[in-house]
Amino acid sequence: MTDDFRIRVYGHAWAQDLLRRALQHGATRHAYLFAGPEHIGKTTLARAFAQALTCENLAGEDGLGACGRCRSCRLAAEGMHPDHRLFAPAGNQLRIDQIREVVREAALSPVESRYKVFIITEFERANVNAANALLKTLEEPSATTRIILVSHQPSGLLDTIISRCQLLRMRPLPESEVVRALQERLGLEEPDARRLARLSNGRIGRAFSLAEDPESWQSYNQRIQEMQAILAYSPAQRIAYAQALEKHKQLEIILQEWLLWWRDVLVIQNRGQALIVNQDHLDALTDLARSIPGPQIRRFVDAIMTTAAYLRKNVNRQLAMEALLLKAPHRE
Ligand SMILES: [Zn+2]
């Protein structure tokens, strides 16, 4: 339907219900923090919430309740709404002048809607000064302002920020919901959708970019090539590679990719009927299944899982990655 401009949110039903009820009762809070892993749809939920906040005919029981037909809904979907502002880090940081811009504009009345809505993504990239600059606005907001902070590292935020927001902790989506979304939106066949869903581990944004963006698929394949190259590396080369990898923004995702890769090798070794995620690399997987003993692979799989758990606890990433790479199987 071309005349339905609702911003569609996949998954996170409880969060959508909670926000819709608050909208229906005119009881939305002035500040929210949407927290959870990367690429699970936090910013999409924030945009859909902004759309509903300014919808002219808020009524629906679907999603967040926006009508998807009014002028305001259309502008929101096109990213052109004059009362919606989206701030993202410029480079590596949310700069203090970006936050000052939010503060300044938050004090003004909306241009045409009930609310002015500010979405600030990757808020963990605001340094202490920038975060502090927002405190007063979070504390004494204008009645017509709504602020949505988005972060995948809420543990890095100031308590004074968190305590002034309603915190919504979001999780990766169940595989079945990612499959359904990929089929519904991109018309993928079930097996393709399932492989992408598994590869993306419930991170729906990543599933969409793997499906739609050739570059994202290319860089995935490149990382898989690199991981196979490691097997022939000397300890010194492995450590050097660990140091390079440690700086990678998406380390958690890389480890997940490795996990699925080696799980595929084990499936082949055991002649399992389970789904092979990396269908496109069947030859390489079969080759590894023949040349590396199962116990070695299982030890490495355990090490990957342990390392992923460590990384979530803010340990020394470099040491953790060095130790992991030294445990990777060897191959001449
Ligand atoms: Zn509307």
Side-chain angles (χ1 to χ4, degrees), residues 5-7 47 51 72-80 84:
F5 289 97
R6 271 177 301 176
I7 295 171
R47 290 187 55 228
Q51 182 180 52
S72 185
C73 277
R74 180 172 57 77
L75 290 172
E78 290 168 349
M80 305 286 280
H84 294 174

Side-chain angles (χ1 to χ4, degrees), residues 145-260:
T145 295
R146 293 292 178 269
I147 298 177
I148 309 164
L149 306 180
V150 177
S151 175
H152 63 269
Q153 277 172 344
S155 59
L157 303 187
L158 300 174
D159 289 342
T160 44
I161 292 280
I162 298 175
S163 64
R164 284 165 176 77
C165 298
Q166 178 165 13
L167 174 61
L168 269 62
R169 278 191 193 281
M170 295 163 62
R171 303 187 162 281
L173 273 62
E175 188 174 301
S176 57
E177 286 191 35
V178 180
V179 171
R180 197 164 53 90
L182 288 168
Q183 290 185 290
E184 201 176 293
R185 206 166 98 181
L186 303 178
L188 294 191
E189 297 293 330
E190 213 266 353
D192 291 336
R194 192 159 293 282
R195 281 199 296 132
L196 286 181
R198 194 156 295 179
L199 197 54
S200 62
N201 201 22
R203 296 167 188 245
I204 188 160
R206 187 163 149 69
F208 277 127
S209 66
L210 282 171
E212 292 179 304
D213 171 16
E215 249 177 59
S216 144
W217 192 247
Q218 225 168 36
S219 56
Y220 167 68
N221 281 322
Q222 193 190 327
R223 287 197 295 273
I224 288 297
Q225 298 300 339
E226 285 175 13
M227 189 207 56
Q228 293 176 76
I230 296 166
L231 308 181
Y233 280 4
S234 69
Q237 286 174 311
R238 288 173 180 224
I239 286 177
Y241 186 70
Q243 288 168 358
L245 206 54
E246 176 267 321
K247 295 184 187 69
H248 202 290
K249 242 183 90 181
Q250 317 256 25
L251 195 48
E252 214 181 311
I253 288 177
I254 295 178
L255 291 185
Q256 170 68 15
E257 290 169 355
W258 289 8
L259 209 52
L260 288 165

